[in-house]
Amino acid sequence: MSAPRISFVRDLQFRIEYGLLRAIAGLVRLLPLETATALSARAWRRLAPKLNPKRHARALANLAIAFPEKSEAERLEICMAHWENLGRVMAETMQIDRLIQDPSRIRIVSDRLFGRYKNKLGPAIGVSLHLGNWELAIWPFIEAQANPAAVYRSVNNPYIDRYLRWQRRDLYPGGLFGRGRVEGEHGDDQKTARILTDFVRRGGRLGLVCDLYDRTGLPVPFFGQDAKTQAIGAMIARRVGSRIWMSCCKRVGTSSRFEIEIKELRVPRTRNVGEDVRWIMAEMQKQFEEWVREAPEQWMWSNRRWS
């Protein structure tokens, strides 16, 4: 079934938004990477709380849930630093091709695990969280020449959506599978759970970001409170017997240099499938919480996590 056509006025709006994005990207690409990220971080710290007060308030509310023992001033400073990190990510996204062409900028610190399994991965699912520059959390699969694909949240503007997917083509050579309702024809692969399962079963390597609130997800503990979390990664791994690698891409200081840590999550296969899936998700979120505690200023607090 083809997507419904959008009106001329709506299409014109999308084209204007796309043109503005390309103009900003062009300016960012004129600058050296570290200069662009520093300027973007400064701009986001100053402007984001004013331009998006709702998300700023959400970030502070989430920080209060996670760190009730910290003072309001401490939580505010983490919040402002998180806006800086998002500014750096935005600039890095617009120069992602240049960033990944410099191998000195990305280091996999889990040498033992990576060295042992990189040449015998088999079907695999990589799960990560919005920390550091999360786009690069897929890097271990790239280094292993595993031809990874990923599930991502589609951008409603089809022109911007296609541009962002094109920018990420070297990170996800296996393709990007869109999720979420969008207007118009995006030309991407809107995949169902069954098709994603078949992809992994046939030996595919799939990347997922699993730290967002999901209305239809399963509640699992995160910083002491249940958070509804999408279960698709755990369900696929349990069903087809694939490996799960949890991946965290942590920024080194304020630079565009990163250390990637990976940990394997053993997939239980008892007679109780539901309990197996819930255990996988709980262990995953427990590890995510540990990583967030190590670098709270690098996690995206402004995302919705709790209901």
Side-chain angles (χ1 to χ4, degrees), residues 76-135:
L76 177 60
E77 182 49 41
I78 293 173
C79 181
M80 301 306 288
H82 121 278
W83 285 124
E84 288 187 10
N85 185 68
L86 292 183
R88 291 186 177 93
V89 171
M90 188 197 76
E92 288 158 356
T93 297
M94 295 177 181
Q95 297 200 39
I96 198 72
D97 54 332
R98 298 171 180 172
L99 194 159
I100 64 178
Q101 285 170 9
D102 182 354
S104 70
R105 290 188 176 275
I106 309 171
R107 185 169 75 94
I108 299 172
V109 297
S110 308
D111 295 332
R112 186 174 180 181
L113 176 63
F114 183 68
R116 182 176 181 182
Y117 292 111
K118 68 177 182 178
N119 295 321
K120 49 182 178 181
L121 270 175
I125 292 177
V127 295
S128 61
L129 70 165
H130 288 91
L131 190 141
N133 188 325
W134 55 92
E135 293 282 0

Side-chain angles (χ1 to χ4, degrees), residues 5-25:
R5 294 180 63 85
I6 57 178
S7 69
F8 171 80
V9 173
R10 189 64 167 154
D11 182 67
L12 180 60
Q13 178 185 342
F14 283 153
R15 289 176 182 272
I16 292 172
E17 292 172 351
Y18 171 66
L20 289 173
L21 175 65
R22 291 302 302 264
I24 294 171

Side-chain angles (χ1 to χ4, degrees), residues 97-265:
D97 54 332
R98 298 171 180 172
L99 194 159
I100 64 178
Q101 285 170 9
D102 182 354
S104 70
R105 290 188 176 275
I106 309 171
R107 185 169 75 94
I108 299 172
V109 297
S110 308
D111 295 332
R112 186 174 180 181
L113 176 63
F114 183 68
R116 182 176 181 182
Y117 292 111
K118 68 177 182 178
N119 295 321
K120 49 182 178 181
L121 270 175
I125 292 177
V127 295
S128 61
L129 70 165
H130 288 91
L131 190 141
N133 188 325
W134 55 92
E135 293 282 0
L136 300 175
I138 200 74
W139 192 252
F141 281 174
I142 295 292
E143 282 287 281
Q145 299 182 335
N147 197 41
V151 177
Y152 80 110
R153 186 173 295 278
S154 299
V155 177
N156 190 47
N157 184 315
Y159 303 106
I160 292 177
D161 190 60
R162 282 195 287 268
Y163 172 63
L164 294 176
R165 286 191 288 114
W166 176 81
Q167 279 191 316
R168 292 162 170 79
R169 65 195 183 283
D170 293 332
L171 278 177
Y172 309 106
L176 278 168
F177 304 149
R179 293 181 68 239
R181 295 180 179 179
V182 292
E183 296 179 62
E185 178 58 55
H186 281 222
D188 60 350
D189 297 311
Q190 292 279 338
K191 296 300 183 183
T192 65
R194 180 181 61 80
I195 295 175
L196 291 173
T197 301
D198 290 343
F199 171 80
V200 178
R201 181 182 285 118
R202 293 193 300 269
R205 287 74 182 235
L206 184 68
L208 297 160
V209 181
C210 297
D211 64 340
L212 291 175
Y213 174 83
D214 190 313
R215 181 177 55 82
T216 61
L218 293 177
V220 290
F222 188 64
F223 281 96
Q225 288 199 21
D226 280 349
K228 285 191 173 183
T229 307
Q230 57 118 327
I232 183 66
M235 292 171 63
I236 292 175
R238 172 61 179 77
R239 183 170 299 171
V240 308
S242 69
R243 185 184 308 279
I244 292 181
W245 272 5
M246 298 178 291
S247 177
C248 172
C249 178
K250 192 180 298 181
R251 185 181 302 280
V252 179
T254 58
S255 70
S256 291
R257 298 185 179 276
F258 305 90
E259 292 181 345
I260 298 179
E261 182 179 1
I262 52 176
K263 292 194 175 184
E264 178 141 2
L265 180 55

